[in-house]
Amino acid sequence: MQRLLVTGGCGFIGSNFIRHCLSTRDNVTIINVDKLTYAGNLENLADLEGDARLLFRRGDICDRAFVQQVLADQPVDAVLNFAAESHVDRSILDSGPFVQTNIVGTQVLLDACREAGIGRYVQVSTDEVYGSLGADGLFTEQTPLAPNSPYSASKASADLLVRSYVHTFGFPAVITRCSNNYGPYQFPEKLIPLFISNALNDRPLPVYGKGENVRDWIHVLDHCRGILAAVEHGQTGEVYNFGGKCELKNIDLTRTLLRLLGKPESLIRYVTDRPGHDLRYAIDCSKAERELGWSPQVDFETGLRETIDWYRANSEWVERIQSGEYTSYYERQYGERLGDS
Ligand code: NAD
Ligand code: TYD
């Protein structure tokens, strides 16, 4: 029996990971620790309600006593840290919560895991820690860290803390760094779900700058498969890059989305660029292919069509988020208002 503790399991990638893990592995139990910030939504796991293999503990990874208690109550074999403030634009408006959760939260988890003698720790990180590329080249695991946004700086800081715990204490951690994810349950503030939701409602699509910035897109399930491979086969102290081998300029992605949605290009609005906007991300994921036996499986256009279908079929999920009504699910479920504790 493999017992996992997942932090941030009510977010986009964490909830997809939990579903993927429980549907592909026998004898796994998962404890999901989530603070339920604006980005955490219990509805993302509603289909697993009543599944005895999944336990939810609401709490903050920065709360040392809480994290220690969870690990004392439910001993686990591995900890996977997905919990984070994850949106670059929000980090530009206020970096405080990013420093708190992404750096302090990671430190608290690392200490609690060391004390509890956890055998495997996975830090879910991002390619954004490497900074920005010019027209050529790819990020490898050897690329120096050069984060440019408060978000990526906080993730790079966490990665360095993890590295230092491996080096100093022999702590059994691995770090994964993935490119831009898309797929079901992504909070509609990120590019793809925001643009799908706006286009479905004939609202403008705000493209930053000239839309020339390049991102490498990976389906969230491919990322989840990579993280699972890292838990099962990763070597202590190693970093593994994951990418979708799918580089696209934002404007080309926007046009593809509109074509698949059957909406006109007149919905495109060029708006003021993001301050410090990284030009290009592109990933060399050959180490993960070689050493973890992993490779991205989902063809981009197929994945995008399925994602569009998911957002069409789940328009109420988006509406409940946009209206703030989704937090009442917690109240119904737990008889307590979010923000009360
Ligand atoms: P998300 O914003 O959708 O979800 C984050 C989750 O963490 C939410 O459920 C939130 O409630 C929870 N959380 C936040 N602060 C917490 C705290 N202090 N204590 C406990 N829970 C807390 O994020 P996501 O897109 O699912 O990203 C998950 C992880 O993957 C993050 O670490 C992110 O940096 C990393 N990542 C994301 C991408 C991407 O494209 N989205 C790419 C690479 C890496
Ligand atoms: P985003 O989904 O925020 O991911 P990240 O900044 O972590 O890469 O943005 C993806 C790209 O889309 C990025 O180059 C910024 C751009 N973008 C827009 O042009 N308009 C938008 O409204 C958003 C949210 C992003």
Side-chain angles (χ1 to χ4, degrees):
M1 172 76 78
Q2 179 82 344
R3 291 156 306 174
L4 307 181
L5 187 146
V6 165
T7 71
C10 294
F12 164 48
I13 304 173
S15 61
N16 276 286
F17 177 82
I18 289 173
R19 190 171 292 103
H20 174 68
C21 193
L22 290 179
S23 64
T24 59
R25 294 293 181 277
D26 293 328
N27 280 328
V28 170
T29 56
I30 299 179
I31 299 154
N32 172 22
V33 164
D34 199 299
K35 183 181 176 184
L36 297 181
T37 66
Y38 79 93
N41 186 349
L42 271 175
E43 283 188 53
N44 295 357
L45 294 167
D47 55 321
L48 291 169
E49 244 168 62
D51 190 321
R53 296 170 302 166
L54 179 61
L55 183 72
F56 176 60
R57 298 280 303 259
R58 183 176 173 221
D60 188 337
I61 59 164
C62 302
D63 180 342
R64 191 171 289 269
F66 165 74
V67 174
Q68 286 169 332
Q69 192 61 54
V70 170
L71 288 172
D73 291 345
Q74 278 106 12
V76 295
D77 302 302
V79 171
L80 296 95
N81 185 24
F82 294 82
E85 289 293 332
S86 67
H87 191 40
V88 173
D89 292 321
R90 285 179 187 259
S91 80
I92 294 169
L93 292 173
D94 179 7
S95 60
F98 290 74
V99 170
Q100 192 59 27
T101 286
N102 299 1
I103 307 176
V104 177
T106 299
Q107 182 226 350
V108 168
L109 266 183
L110 290 171
D111 284 342
C113 288
R114 268 192 70 219
E115 286 162 22
I118 298 301
R120 171 57 74 222
Y121 176 97
V122 178
Q123 178 71 6
V124 180
S125 187
T126 163
D127 62 348
E128 301 192 27
V129 298
Y130 297 122
S132 184
L133 291 164
D136 306 316
L138 300 171
F139 296 133
T140 73
E141 289 81 358
Q142 269 71 50
T143 303
L145 303 190
N148 289 318
S149 71
Y151 163 66
S152 55
S154 67
K155 293 294 292 185
S157 306
D159 286 10
L160 291 176
L161 273 175
V162 174
R163 178 191 147 91
S164 77
Y165 275 58
V166 172
H167 185 82
T168 309
F169 306 114
F171 183 70
V174 305
I175 297 173
T176 62
R177 295 188 181 135
C178 190
S179 63
N180 287 60
N181 287 218
Y182 70 96
Y185 300 100
Q186 188 167 27
F187 196 87
E189 64 184 354
K190 306 278 167 59
L191 180 80
I192 288 183
L194 178 71
F195 281 16
I196 293 174
S197 147
N198 281 13
L200 287 174
N201 292 292
D202 298 309
R203 289 197 298 260
L205 312 189
V207 172
Y208 295 161
K210 294 185 175 140
E212 295 288 312
N213 304 67
V214 174
R215 295 293 182 264
D216 168 23
W217 293 97
I218 182 171
H219 193 276
V220 64
L221 263 186
D222 277 331
H223 186 191
C224 293
R225 288 186 192 105
I227 293 168
L228 204 45
V231 187
E232 293 174 342
H233 308 296
Q235 296 299 307
T236 292
E238 295 296 322
V239 176
Y240 301 97
N241 284 351
F242 301 125
K245 302 184 182 181
C246 177
E247 279 185 59
L248 282 171
K249 284 186 182 174
N250 290 340
I251 189 60
D252 294 334
L253 169 57
T254 305
R255 292 205 169 102
T256 302
L257 276 171
L258 288 170
R259 173 170 58 78
L260 296 179
L261 284 155
K263 296 288 181 178
E265 292 200 0
S266 56
L267 285 178
I268 295 173
R269 292 283 185 288
Y270 292 98
V271 300
T272 308
D273 208 353
R274 171 187 283 172
H277 196 171
D278 283 338
L279 178 66
R280 177 171 165 261
Y281 302 146
I283 281 268
D284 176 345
C285 55
S286 55
K287 177 178 174 184
E289 293 181 318
R290 234 178 14 255
E291 297 185 13
L292 299 178
W294 168 93
S295 62
Q297 305 290 314
V298 182
D299 161 73
F300 183 67
E301 192 155 319
T302 309
L304 204 54
R305 278 183 200 279
E306 286 172 6
T307 303
I308 289 171
D309 289 345
W310 188 89
Y311 279 88
R312 267 194 219 280
N314 291 277
S315 56
E316 287 173 7
W317 178 89
V318 176
E319 279 157 27
R320 280 196 295 275
I321 286 175
Q322 286 170 342
S323 69
E325 205 265 325
Y326 71 108
T327 57
S328 67
Y329 180 90
Y330 187 84
E331 212 174 323
R332 285 199 305 277
Q333 186 77 356
Y334 295 94
E336 179 193 339
R337 276 203 0 248
L338 269 175
D340 279 0
S341 62

